Amino acid sequence: MSDKKEDGGESPPPPLDANAMKYDPEVFVSNVSSFSFARTPCAKEAFMQGGLAGLAVGIVRLMRTKYIGTSIKWGVGSFMVTTMASMEYCRQSRANRLSKLRETRDKIHDYQDKHKDDTPYHQDR
């Protein structure tokens, strides 16, 4: 079996499946290079809250134990936990807000469809 067609041309390469594209290093690098925290919802606030919590926990731990190593570990750990919790909470509240917004929009459209000809003033039509 060869990759040559009967007319002398080469056959096109087989299409890539989704799993092969997912682990393509060029696609990964292009996605990482175009990533921005400013466009990611909740990321900036979550990292700010995580950083402040990690700093606070690290300083308090350093003042209580006087060991720099454990205070750094506690600070980094609290940074990670606080950042993940804050991101998840923000994501959930954002999803709830968007679902309420969609529900309100649908109710407004239903009301407008139901009362299309019931406007009291001519200029409202």
Side-chain angles (χ1 to χ4, degrees):
M1 266 175 100
S2 70
D3 289 339
K4 301 270 184 190
K5 287 184 177 178
E6 287 85 24
D7 62 357
E10 291 188 17
S11 63
L16 295 174
D17 61 353
N19 289 333
M21 289 184 67
K22 191 186 323 182
Y23 300 112
D24 186 17
E26 292 175 6
V27 173
F28 177 76
V29 169
S30 68
N31 288 340
V32 168
S33 64
S34 66
F35 179 75
S36 173
F37 280 114
R39 292 183 297 195
T40 305
C42 306
K44 185 170 61 171
E45 294 85 4
F47 276 99
M48 183 65 74
Q49 290 173 357
L52 292 175
L55 185 66
V57 168
I59 288 173
V60 168
R61 185 73 179 174
L62 181 64
M63 290 169 49
R64 292 191 74 203
T65 64
K66 306 292 190 245
Y67 293 115
I68 294 176
T70 58
S71 64
I72 289 174
K73 290 176 186 176
W74 277 75
V76 169
S78 63
F79 164 75
M80 291 177 10
V81 168
T82 306
T83 301
M84 288 188 295
S86 176
M87 187 74 123
E88 183 62 25
Y89 176 76
C90 184
R91 189 189 66 79
Q92 280 293 106
S93 63
R94 182 178 163 87
N96 289 341
R97 202 171 345 143
L98 288 176
S99 69
K100 287 180 183 178
L101 208 69
R102 282 189 205 103
E103 183 180 328
T104 305
R105 184 192 62 205
D106 292 341
K107 285 183 180 179
I108 288 172
H109 286 302
D110 290 343
Y111 179 82
Q112 287 175 346
D113 290 341
K114 186 176 178 182
H115 300 288
K116 200 177 282 188
D117 298 327
D118 295 348
T119 54
Y121 303 107
H122 177 67
Q123 67 267 20
D124 290 339
R125 293 181 188 214

